Amino acid sequence: DTAVSQTPKYLVTQMGNDKSIKCEQNLGHDTMYWYKQDSKKFLKIMFSYNNKELIINETVPNRFSPKSPDKAHLNLHINSLELGDSAVYFCASRREVGSNTGELFFGEGSRLTVL
Amino acid sequence: AQSVTQLDSQVPVFEEAPVELRCNYSSSVSVYLFWYVQYPNQGLQLLLKYLSGSTLVKSINGFEAEFNKSQTSFHLRKPSVHISDTAEYFCAVSDRVKRASGSRLTFGEGTQLTVNP
């Protein structure tokens, strides 16, 4: 069983469209994250949710809206897609709440290409 | 605030040669340190971590890293690499401050290790 699963794995779309990426973790973790990896492989945190509550919201355009229906799911919706949104988006999860020792478990990534 | 610097963006080596991937960090508080590995078209996997205790930590596949507080470094080493070690390696730091908002892992920019036959 995949611990952190993301769908779709690949997404090609036109500028201006709206798209969603879904993430599910079956590890029983409390905290989930979205990271963006650009073409130079640089990883940047976007959002973090703990038990469905937003706890980290980096400087991300408000075209990006995370939604957590329950603590096992964290979806990412992107409105009005732009060329610069092309990247690989990684979902991750972590067990501890208020603790820094837990490792992050990553999904395999969703490669978004905006044409 | 914390930051991580990986000093080499690319490291090409021959099979069975030793390798060192360098990582330096900056933080105003005590930290936990991690190395993650990303194989092509895959997500990141934890390779090893330093939380406390012995400053030398080891992975199951022969990598090791040493926490050096005075030099604020956490370099990754392997005495003899295999072609299958070809991947992107990320150093990461997390501060030890407990907060309701949780913690964040700050990543370095990655080092591409390429092992050639």
Side-chain angles (χ1 to χ4, degrees):
Chain A
D1 283 343
T2 304
V4 182
S5 59
Q6 301 178 223
T7 54
K9 192 167 183 178
Y10 299 96
L11 186 54
V12 181
T13 188
Q14 300 286 332
M15 279 177 54
N17 285 349
D18 304 338
K19 291 293 177 186
S20 293
I21 306 172
K22 296 184 177 181
C23 178
E24 175 182 5
Q25 55 97 1
N26 62 6
L27 299 167
H29 288 170
D30 298 302
T31 308
M32 296 183 71
Y33 303 80
W34 278 110
Y35 279 83
K36 179 180 180 181
Q37 186 176 47
D38 63 23
S39 58
K40 295 184 179 179
K41 299 287 184 77
F42 184 63
L43 273 163
K44 185 175 179 182
I45 191 170
M46 300 173 69
F47 302 103
S48 174
Y49 267 75
N50 173 253
N51 280 322
K52 303 192 295 178
E53 182 182 347
L54 181 65
I55 57 173
I56 294 175
N57 185 353
E58 292 296 291
T59 308
V60 177
N62 57 15
R63 298 181 295 103
F64 290 79
S65 53
K67 284 187 172 54
S68 182
D70 55 62
K71 75 173 193 176
H73 295 84
L74 180 61
N75 303 323
L76 183 65
H77 189 75
I78 315 170
N79 290 325
S80 304
L81 278 157
E82 300 177 356
L83 292 176
D85 298 332
S86 295
V88 182
Y89 293 85
F90 285 99
C91 178
S93 71
R94 194 179 210 178
R95 180 183 301 281
E96 284 88 344
V97 176
S99 167
N100 303 316
T101 61
E103 69 177 273
L104 284 177
F105 288 78
F106 283 85
E108 293 195 344
S110 297
R111 183 177 293 276
L112 172 64
T113 302
V114 182
L115 304 175
Chain B
Q2 57 207 27
S3 65
V4 179
T5 302
Q6 292 184 239
L7 296 158
D8 307 295
S9 60
Q10 299 197 36
V11 174
V13 295
F14 287 108
E15 194 173 17
E16 297 183 6
V19 71
E20 178 180 80
L21 307 184
R22 297 180 292 169
C23 172
N24 287 92
Y25 69 91
S26 171
S27 176
S28 56
V29 298
S30 296
V31 297
Y32 299 119
L33 293 157
F34 306 82
W35 275 100
Y36 281 81
V37 58
Q38 184 180 25
Y39 298 104
N41 298 314
Q42 293 187 27
L44 280 74
Q45 304 169 34
L46 182 69
L47 188 60
L48 45 76
K49 61 185 177 183
Y50 170 75
L51 303 180
S52 64
S54 173
T55 57
L56 182 66
V57 291
K58 299 184 179 185
S59 72
I60 58 173
N61 58 351
F63 282 94
E64 64 180 35
E66 185 156 23
F67 170 52
N68 188 320
K69 187 175 181 180
S70 63
Q71 296 187 6
T72 61
S73 68
F74 191 54
H75 300 332
L76 182 69
R77 301 183 182 94
K78 188 171 184 179
S80 176
V81 293
H82 302 291
I83 289 179
S84 59
D85 292 324
T86 294
E88 189 87 20
Y89 290 79
F90 293 91
C91 183
V93 63
S94 175
D95 67 48
R96 296 182 178 226
V97 177
K98 290 191 177 184
R99 53 176 77 85
S101 61
S103 63
R104 64 188 69 189
L105 211 52
T106 300
F107 286 89
E109 295 191 355
T111 298
Q112 172 65 43
L113 173 65
T114 303
V115 182
N116 298 301

